[in-house]
């Protein structure tokens, strides 16, 4: 049995030439390549044909988070630029959904570019019909706490970001934003504002592809995991035991929990690593709630090693039923939680039986997740993609992995 804590990230490296990284999206979303992996066999396909490639009676699960314009460029009175990148809300609400609807003021964890030039004065950013002000409250490990106030006070923070923020492209694209990015770095089904990075496996889907899926009797479900900047966080530790996995906020409706429960035994395939993290976290949240049915909502957190330290865990139906019972007792239609779960070789999948995903960076936790699903065959899959001119990373091509 593999011990994921002892995994060395240097064993998950491959040569990714710069010219294989897709710097821009294709003119049409669904014209990307799709590498179909099933039972050890590799076939080159087009993404627009995915409906014909999925197993019958599949439940396809999407992450409907929406990327917010989280980069804010403030100009000091002396002319210098300070960039503030909103990571996650702290007060008065930690829950992203509520923080986005907050009016007048809000405190966020942020990254600050050019911080040494910021002497502590209040910064102001003027936008059409209003002003956003930022105050540096404190410095913490790896980030700052920034207090925002704005006028008109009645505006929700989501609206403020929409008016004066910029979309945060992945750092490895290493280029300026284009007008095209504002639509193309969102999925066509994005709804819940709060991510600072797109769930990129979903970028290939079009309304036409979604229509074809329904015609093929593929069931669709939508949950929300707000993708954080931690998704790009490099693994610097020699072994995974010393890597602190980033936490992300998860929101799943009672209806979707029921859908997943009904489909257990049929193929349940997440679109993207974030959807996979969400579905597997759902199982482990059920495990927690079976152990302690009276957990306070803010105690619903899956720590990264829980799946590897739990002795005789319940079945998937038992775990999901525990969530439904909890939601009934809370009289709530939605489960809100946080997850730090790390899916790596040695992980036993409880819900997912395949994955739609792009091609990920070397030495990343996303590559560990792919390896957990397909084993050492990840090397064969990635080498095939490199040899056959697949485009890599966020704007790159796709794969359908059915081990």
């Amino acid at each position: 049995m593999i011990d994921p804590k002892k995994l060395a990230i240097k064993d998950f490296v491959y040569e990714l030439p710069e010219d294989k990284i897709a710097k821009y999206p294709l003119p049409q979303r669904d014209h990307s390549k799709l590498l179909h992996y099933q039972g050890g066999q590799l076939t080159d396909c087009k993404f627009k044909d995915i409906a014909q490639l999925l197993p019958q009676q599949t439940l396809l699960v999407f992450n409907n988070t929406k990327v917010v314009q989280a980069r804010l460029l403030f100009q000091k009175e002396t002319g210098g630029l300070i960039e503030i990148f909103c990571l996650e809300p702290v007060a008065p609400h930690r829950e992203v959904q509520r923080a986005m609807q907050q009016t007048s003021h809000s405190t966020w964890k942020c990254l600050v570019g050019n911080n040494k030039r910021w002497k502590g004065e209040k910064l102001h950013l003027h936008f059409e019909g209003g002003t956003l002000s930022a105050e540096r409250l404190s410095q913490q490990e790896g980030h700052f706490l920034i207090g925002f106030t704005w006028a008109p006070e009645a505006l929700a923070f989501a609206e403020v970001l929409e008016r004066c923020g910029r979309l945060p492209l992945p750092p490895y694209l290493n280029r300026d934003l284009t007008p095209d990015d504002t639509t193309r770095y969102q999925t066509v089904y994005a709804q819940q504002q709060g991510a600072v990075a797109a769930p990129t496996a979903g970028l290939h889907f079009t309304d036409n592809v979604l229509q074809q899926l329904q015609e093929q009797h593929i069931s669709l479900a939508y949950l929300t995991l707000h993708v954080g900047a931690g998704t790009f966080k490099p693994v610097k530790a020699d072994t995974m035991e010393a890597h602190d996995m980033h936490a992300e906020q998860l929101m799943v409706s009672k209806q979707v929990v029921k859908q997943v429960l009904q489909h257990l035994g049929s193929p349940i395939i997440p679109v993207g690593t974030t959807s996979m993290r969400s579905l597997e976290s759902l199982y482990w949240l059920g495990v927690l709630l079976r152990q302690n049915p009276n957990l306070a909502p803010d105690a619903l957190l899956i720590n990264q090693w829980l799946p590897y330290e739990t002795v005789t865990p319940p079945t998937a139906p038992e775990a999901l039923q525990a969530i439904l019972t909890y939601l009934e007792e809370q009289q709530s239609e939605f489960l809100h939680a946080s997850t730090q779960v790390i899916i790596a070789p040695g992980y036993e999948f409880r819900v997912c039986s395949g994955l739609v995903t792009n091609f990920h960076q070397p030495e990343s936790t996303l590559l560990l997740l792919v390896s957990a699903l397909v084993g050492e065959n990840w090397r064969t899959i990635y080498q095939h993609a490199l040899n056959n001119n697949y485009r890599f990373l966020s704007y790159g091509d796709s794969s359908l992995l059915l081990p």
Side-chain angles (χ1 to χ4, degrees), residues 7 15 37 39 42 64 75 82 84 117 129 172 229 238 251 274 290 348 375 391:
L7 289 171
E15 195 66 42
Y37 168 84
L42 290 169
N64 67 0
Q75 190 159 23
I82 306 292
I84 298 179
R117 294 189 184 176
Y172 47 66
D238 289 337
M251 183 176 79
T274 60
R290 273 175 64 84
E348 183 183 338
R391 301 157 79 248

Side-chain angles (χ1 to χ4, degrees), residues 19 23 83 168 200 205 214 285 299 324-325 327-328 336 347:
D19 65 352
K23 292 296 178 83
E83 180 179 329
T200 54
F205 285 86
Q214 290 178 310
L285 287 163
L324 291 174
T325 303
L327 290 173
E328 293 285 350
H336 293 270
Y347 182 84

Side-chain angles (χ1 to χ4, degrees), residues 155-355:
L155 284 180
F157 192 57
E159 177 68 18
V160 173
L161 291 179
E162 195 68 32
R163 292 193 191 187
C164 65
R166 297 183 180 204
L167 202 71
L169 283 181
Y172 47 66
L173 290 185
N174 203 19
R175 66 166 173 82
D176 290 333
L177 203 61
T178 69
D180 209 21
D181 290 317
T182 53
T183 52
R184 294 302 304 276
Y185 196 60
Q186 300 278 16
T187 61
V188 297
Y189 48 80
Q191 262 193 338
Q192 305 291 344
Q193 292 186 308
V196 299
T200 54
L203 296 179
H204 308 277
F205 285 86
T206 58
D207 291 333
N208 190 37
V209 170
L210 293 171
Q211 177 68 36
Q212 286 178 26
L213 289 166
Q214 290 178 310
E215 287 167 6
Q216 291 289 329
H217 307 294
I218 303 293
S219 301
L220 312 181
Y222 296 87
L223 44 72
T224 307
L225 183 102
H226 290 306
V227 191
T231 194
F232 303 121
K233 182 180 172 186
V235 179
K236 292 181 175 169
D238 289 337
T239 61
M240 293 312 298
E241 191 165 21
H243 178 69
D244 188 24
M245 193 67 179
H246 58 285
E248 290 173 318
Q249 290 191 20
L250 170 66
M251 183 176 79
V252 187
S253 70
K254 187 194 290 184
Q255 177 57 36
V256 167
V257 178
K258 286 179 180 173
Q259 252 184 300
V260 174
L261 182 56
Q262 286 160 3
H263 272 83
L264 290 172
S266 298
I268 298 176
I269 299 176
V271 174
T273 58
T274 60
S275 298
M276 179 173 264
R277 276 189 96 201
S278 302
L279 286 168
E280 293 298 319
S281 295
L282 206 54
Y283 169 83
W284 291 104
L285 287 163
V287 172
L288 284 186
L289 289 169
R290 273 175 64 84
Q291 292 167 351
N292 184 354
N294 301 315
L295 268 184
D298 60 3
L300 290 173
L301 166 69
I302 304 301
N303 78 53
Q304 67 190 69
W305 299 119
L306 176 71
Y308 309 97
E309 294 168 345
T310 305
V311 183
T312 59
T315 64
E318 288 170 338
L320 294 179
Q321 191 56 56
I323 293 174
L324 291 174
T325 303
Y326 177 81
L327 290 173
E328 293 285 350
E329 288 174 358
Q330 293 281 324
Q331 297 183 324
S332 176
E333 286 301 312
F334 288 91
L335 180 75
H336 293 270
S338 294
T339 180
Q340 277 183 294
V341 73
I342 183 165
I343 297 177
Y347 182 84
E348 183 183 338
F349 287 92
R350 307 287 174 168
V351 178
C352 303
S353 46
L355 177 65

